[in-house]
Amino acid sequence: MKVSPFVRKLILVFGDICCIYFANSLAIMPILGSSEYKFNFEFLSILILLMFFMFNVYGLFSLVRKRLTDIFLNLLVAILNIYIICIAITYLINELDYSSMTILISAILSFVLLGVWQYVCHKWEWNNFPKHHGVLFAKDNEKKILENKLSKTYGLENVLQDVSHGLNDNLWPKKIDENYYVFIGSSLDIKEKEAILCYARSKKKQIFLVPTLYELACKNTGLLLVDDVPMQRVTRLLLTDEQRTLKRCIDIIIAILSIILLLPIMIVTAIIIKVSSKGPIIYSQERVGLYGKTFFVHKFRSMKQDAEAKCGPILAAEDDNRITKFGRFIRATRLDELPQLFNVLKGEMSIVGPRPERPFFVEKFVAQKPEYDYRHNVKPGITGLAQIAGKYNTNAYDKLIYDLLYIQDVGVKTDLMIMLQTFKVLLTKSSTEGVQNSK
């Protein structure tokens, strides 16, 4: 039985609400009396509102393109965030006086019931979602890279039925006719892209494009009428005064609260570093910040003392023997980044923004891609879009695209979404893997 995507999503959301309701009801079953059940509905409304927000952040209203492990990980982080906020609310509002044990039982039951429901919906969506094929338009090395990436993407492993190198093949319109997905690489010139886009859109195909700086510049454009000639105003990739002021205020508030809450963890981390290996607790390193000005970023030391004395500046690799045993743990959990909260207070960094890079590597990246310098139009951040969407070993150009996309969409909502997504990254091993060794 085929059901429209809209109806499938309605059923999914309705089931999510039912799971939250039953979990919360079962958690308070030992409590008797009508007043408690009235209170249950008041608390339930808060849970459902938080569920809508958190499930949207972690993509739990769309399951078909996710592995089950990703769904359960997203669900775990969403439930943790929902109930942590609920605990805070119960402390602030006396009328919502749930016991900690009741909230814990409700959280566990919510995860179990929602996990089963999302598993059922995932299987249902997978069976009902149409299996389309696709064609790739790219050149040279990019073609091989995209083929490899698509073959590893859940739900798209077998999507490519044919591969084209651009418009050299006179049969390219026929290839589009036979496939639903059209993938376009950045290696094609603008005229080739335009021809493919126009034809694919006329055939109502789903198009995916690897953006270059030109495509990014055309995003979020404004309209200017020059007499009767329409012109697009290209974004300057700069923050307005209002954006900078609001972002700075939020940075200060979050940094102060985070330092207060995380101070015990920071003290324990510092003690273990001092006891487990020789060298200073804090490692300071020169990085490039706003408008290309350098500053010293602070981190808990995760490598051996004088790790680069012999090899010079190199990126951390997989199984890097310069990293201490405890260093691997704090890098995996991102505890090594906590001292950067003081960089935020000093105004050198922001909570969210492009990760600051060392001058040695910045010079190399700018020489290869001059547009890399645009990422310095905002303050560097502790976390960023490139960190939640990519991995540590994602190449510099792809990270640059994420950073430029962030600068174009910077705002309170965007920053909040990235902060919440960062919790999931902390539980994802691949996000902290080093670059591949070339042997």
Side-chain angles (χ1 to χ4, degrees):
M1 180 181 67
K2 288 194 174 183
V3 183
S4 70
F6 178 72
V7 174
R8 293 205 303 271
K9 182 162 289 191
L10 279 180
I11 295 172
L12 172 63
V13 173
F14 178 74
D16 289 336
I17 294 173
C18 290
C19 289
I20 291 287
Y21 169 76
F22 285 120
N24 198 41
S25 297
L26 290 171
I28 66 162
M29 279 185 65
I31 303 174
L32 301 177
S34 59
S35 60
E36 282 78 6
Y37 279 98
K38 179 183 177 183
F39 162 65
N40 172 45
F41 282 108
E42 292 173 354
F43 194 68
L44 180 65
S45 62
I46 297 173
L47 286 175
I48 291 174
L49 285 174
L50 289 172
M51 182 204 75
F52 272 101
F53 177 73
M54 291 296 177
F55 278 30
N56 184 60
V57 169
Y58 294 107
L60 289 167
F61 290 140
S62 178
L63 308 176
V64 72
R65 291 297 178 200
K66 295 182 179 68
R67 291 181 175 87
L68 284 171
T69 52
D70 293 331
I71 292 173
F72 292 139
L73 176 60
N74 288 336
L75 180 61
L76 175 62
V77 178
I79 292 295
L80 285 173
N81 285 328
I82 288 171
Y83 279 91
I84 287 171
I85 294 173
C86 285
I87 290 172
I89 291 174
T90 58
Y91 279 111
L92 295 174
I93 305 175
N94 293 330
E95 289 77 10
L96 300 178
D97 190 19
Y98 261 118
S99 70
S100 299
M101 182 56 66
T102 302
I103 294 177
L104 177 61
I105 294 172
S106 179
I108 294 172
L109 289 173
S110 293
F111 179 75
V112 172
L113 293 178
L114 284 166
V116 173
W117 173 244
Q118 299 252 331
Y119 172 82
V120 171
C121 288
H122 177 268
K123 291 298 184 182
W124 182 40
E125 283 214 12
W126 184 256
N127 292 331
N128 284 274
F129 196 84
K131 304 300 188 293
H132 294 304
H133 299 305
V135 60
L136 170 65
F137 293 89
K139 292 180 179 178
D140 306 326
N141 189 49
E142 186 192 30
K143 174 178 124 358
K144 297 177 181 178
I145 293 174
L146 290 177
E147 280 185 77
N148 182 51
K149 295 288 186 182
L150 285 168
S151 68
K152 295 178 180 178
T153 302
Y154 183 74
L156 297 176
E157 301 96 329
N158 302 311
V159 70
L160 287 183
Q161 299 299 302
D162 200 355
V163 179
S164 172
H165 293 267
L167 302 185
N168 298 327
D169 188 345
N170 294 327
L171 297 176
W172 67 268
K174 184 173 181 292
K175 294 176 181 178
I176 292 178
D177 290 337
E178 294 172 350
N179 295 278
Y180 178 73
Y181 295 120
V182 177
F183 300 94
I184 304 174
S186 60
S187 54
L188 302 185
D189 61 42
I190 294 176
K191 288 185 177 180
E192 288 180 314
K193 291 180 183 179
E194 186 176 3
I196 295 169
L197 280 167
C198 288
Y199 187 81
R201 292 186 71 175
S202 70
K203 298 297 182 179
K204 297 181 174 57
K205 304 298 183 180
Q206 177 66 67
I207 305 167
F208 296 95
L209 176 75
V210 179
T212 63
L213 183 63
Y214 178 82
E215 281 86 33
L216 289 176
C218 295
K219 185 176 180 288
N220 298 340
T221 56
L223 179 65
L224 173 67
L225 293 177
V226 180
D227 194 8
D228 60 346
V229 178
M231 298 186 73
Q232 286 185 312
R233 177 178 57 82
V234 177
T235 55
R236 296 184 299 162
L237 292 175
L238 291 169
L239 303 188
T240 64
D241 291 338
E242 292 81 4
Q243 286 175 320
R244 285 197 297 270
T245 302
L246 181 58
K247 192 171 174 62
R248 180 61 183 150
C249 291
I250 293 173
D251 284 340
I252 292 173
I253 293 170
I254 293 179
I256 292 174
L257 290 175
S258 299
I259 290 172
I260 293 172
L261 291 172
L262 298 172
L263 188 59
I265 296 176
M266 295 171 73
I267 292 173
V268 172
T269 302
I271 293 172
I272 296 176
I273 291 172
K274 189 64 179 177
V275 171
S276 62
S277 63
K278 295 181 180 179
I281 296 170
I282 300 294
Y283 177 65
S284 298
Q285 191 178 67
E286 188 179 24
R287 300 288 177 104
V288 178
L290 183 64
Y291 304 138
K293 295 179 181 178
T294 58
F295 70 102
F296 284 90
V297 70
H298 308 304
K299 303 175 72 173
F300 281 124
R301 181 175 56 84
S302 61
M303 289 190 174
K304 299 173 184 177
Q305 190 175 13
D306 300 324
E308 295 184 339
K310 295 181 180 180
C311 62
I314 59 173
L315 296 172
E318 291 183 9
D319 301 321
D320 199 319
N321 58 14
R322 298 174 300 163
I323 303 174
T324 65
K325 289 182 179 180
F326 186 64
R328 294 189 188 281
F329 171 76
I330 61 174
R331 286 169 72 94
T333 55
R334 303 295 176 93
L335 291 176
D336 61 326
E337 312 284 0
L338 292 182
Q340 289 166 39
L341 291 168
F342 294 99
N343 285 114
V344 173
L345 283 181
K346 290 166 64 178
E348 298 166 331
M349 292 180 66
S350 180
I351 297 295
V352 179
R355 286 294 296 158
E357 194 49 85
R358 300 163 68 176
F360 175 84
F361 294 114
V362 169
E363 290 178 8
K364 290 177 59 178
F365 295 148
V366 171
Q368 296 169 1
K369 295 284 184 181
E371 58 266 36
Y372 187 88
D373 203 36
Y374 285 118
R375 70 198 297 274
H376 300 126
N377 285 352
V378 297
K379 288 181 182 178
I382 296 177
T383 186
L385 183 59
Q387 280 62 56
I388 66 169
K391 304 174 184 177
Y392 181 85
N393 54 17
T394 299
N395 68 65
Y397 184 73
D398 286 341
K399 286 184 178 179
L400 170 63
I401 296 297
Y402 286 126
D403 291 333
L404 298 184
L405 284 169
Y406 165 73
I407 295 172
Q408 285 191 320
D409 293 328
V410 68
V412 176
K413 179 183 175 183
T414 303
D415 283 7
L416 180 60
M417 297 279 278
I418 291 174
M419 289 180 207
L420 290 171
Q421 289 279 8
T422 302
F423 288 113
K424 185 183 74 172
V425 173
L426 297 178
L427 301 175
T428 308
K429 181 183 177 182
S430 60
S431 65
T432 57
E433 289 177 349
V435 296
Q436 297 285 341
N437 284 314
S438 55
K439 292 184 180 180

